Amino acid sequence: MNLTANFSLAEMIKSETALRHDMDNTPGETEIANLKALAENVLQPIRDHFGKGVKVNSGFRHPEVNAKVGGSKTSDHCQGQAADIEIPGVANADLAQWIVDNLDFRQVILEFYTPGIPDSGWVHVSYVEGDNKKQVLTAAKQNGKTVYLPGLVA
């Protein structure tokens, strides 16, 4: 099933963790509708702008899969409203900045990016119709713990 011209449902629900642990990662109708909205309003515009494939590292996560990867219990991934993405050849900091400057979103997090290493980390982006507060954060490790800093710190 295609969600948009360049994004399929299969790639949005693929989970190495689910496969490795023989876990079901099948979304319901509501989650599929949310994934379609995310693809239409965020992922496809990114693909169209950069003209390159967008690698979805993680899209929908069934709550049990989310728990297995150590995700937040309130993660937008569990509702099909978030994706962790990268574009080969585009610095993740540049990708995050373009999203912030050009798209409607609930949250953008530049996760574990190392300045000077363009392909380090990834970009978490979420889209929730009616609740796109445009929160911008950077996730980093400090003293062995993940901290969330305001804005894009690159």
Side-chain angles (χ1 to χ4, degrees), residues 54-120:
V54 176
K55 180 181 177 202
V56 177
N57 297 329
S58 180
F60 170 75
R61 293 186 207 137
H62 184 280
E64 290 176 7
V65 174
N66 189 61
K68 188 64 106 174
V69 301
S72 163
K73 289 181 181 179
T74 60
S75 174
D76 288 336
H77 286 279
C78 296
Q79 304 303 317
Q81 297 168 325
D84 295 338
I85 62 172
E86 298 178 76
I87 300 175
V90 175
N92 285 319
D94 294 342
L95 172 58
Q97 188 65 62
W98 188 86
I99 296 167
V100 168
D101 291 344
N102 294 282
L103 298 178
D104 199 21
F105 59 90
R106 181 176 190 190
Q107 194 176 55
V108 166
I109 306 174
L110 180 59
E111 299 208 44
F112 309 108
Y113 179 78
T114 302
I117 305 175
D119 63 348
S120 62

Side-chain angles (χ1 to χ4, degrees), residues 1 9-10 12-15 17-19 22-33 35 59-66 77-80:
M1 170 184 189
L9 178 60
M12 296 299 295
I13 67 173
K14 182 181 176 194
S15 167
T17 299
L19 290 171
D22 195 29
M23 301 172 81
D24 184 18
N25 199 48
T26 305
E29 288 181 27
T30 299
E31 292 83 6
I32 292 171
L35 287 166
F60 170 75
R61 293 186 207 137
H62 184 280
E64 290 176 7
V65 174
N66 189 61
H77 286 279
C78 296
Q79 304 303 317

